[in-house]
Amino acid sequence: PTSIPLHEVDRIMDETTFAMEIVQCGNPKTAQYVLNRAAEKGQLGRVIFGNDAPSGTGIIPLGIMRNISFAASMTDIAPEVCVAMATGNPAKVYTKLNRGVIAPGKEADLLIMDDLGTEYISQLTISVSMRPRENVIRFCRAMGPVSRHRYP
């Protein structure tokens, strides 16, 4: 996909306070430029991730996760900051959403895991789903160790 020229990206970043959305179906070179420049300017709080689907490219499964992976692997931005650009930053932009941050009264799906430095993710892997409107918190515990072995 084509994008606007980089000097126009600079103009948007320098002359506005707009949120800047990185989409899975967009131009990766421009996305990397925006991410690096936002990091340099201390403006990562303006960056949000979108899936832009369905689009002419089709529906992209796990598009937001792919954006997080792209940003964390193709820039020097820390992975936890990349997750915030997919969750907390959109919550600030789209204020009518009841999710995106862990806070009282907000909906959330959390995955809590123990030490990832070990060979196995143990039985302490817990999935938590909180829905304040339903007054229900659901816990789902992993049934057993899951291997983290990486194959060459």
Side-chain angles (χ1 to χ4, degrees), residues 44-49 64 68 80-95 97 99-102 106:
L44 290 175
R46 292 176 60 187
V47 178
I48 62 174
F49 290 148
I64 302 297
I68 293 169
E80 62 271 19
V81 175
C82 296
V83 170
M85 290 187 287
T87 57
N89 288 1
K92 290 181 219 167
V93 172
Y94 300 106
T95 57
L97 295 178
R99 60 192 55 136
V101 294
I102 302 169
K106 298 287 186 180

Side-chain angles (χ1 to χ4, degrees), residues 12 22 124 143:
I12 291 169
I22 305 294
L124 293 178
M143 297 306 292

Side-chain angles (χ1 to χ4, degrees), residues 23-147:
V23 294
Q24 187 60 45
C25 301
N27 184 304
K29 180 179 178 181
T30 302
Q32 186 177 25
Y33 179 83
V34 168
L35 290 164
N36 285 329
R37 188 138 191 280
E40 290 169 10
K41 293 177 63 68
Q43 296 183 355
L44 290 175
R46 292 176 60 187
V47 178
I48 62 174
F49 290 148
N51 194 1
D52 200 29
S55 71
T57 307
I59 295 175
I60 308 295
L62 302 172
I64 302 297
M65 293 298 293
R66 293 170 63 120
N67 284 341
I68 293 169
S69 177
F70 174 84
S73 62
M74 299 301 291
T75 70
D76 290 331
I77 302 169
E80 62 271 19
V81 175
C82 296
V83 170
M85 290 187 287
T87 57
N89 288 1
K92 290 181 219 167
V93 172
Y94 300 106
T95 57
K96 292 185 180 183
L97 295 178
N98 193 31
R99 60 192 55 136
V101 294
I102 302 169
K106 298 287 186 180
E107 296 181 4
D109 292 311
L110 308 173
L111 179 63
I112 303 166
M113 295 187 287
D114 64 347
D115 182 10
L116 295 179
T118 62
E119 183 178 349
Y120 293 97
I121 299 171
S122 78
Q123 302 215 17
L124 293 178
T125 302
I126 300 171
S127 174
V128 181
S129 182
M130 298 182 291
R131 300 285 180 257
R133 286 185 226 122
E134 300 172 14
N135 291 322
V136 173
I137 297 178
R138 296 180 184 93
F139 292 91
C140 177
R141 191 173 192 152
M143 297 306 292
V146 177
S147 174

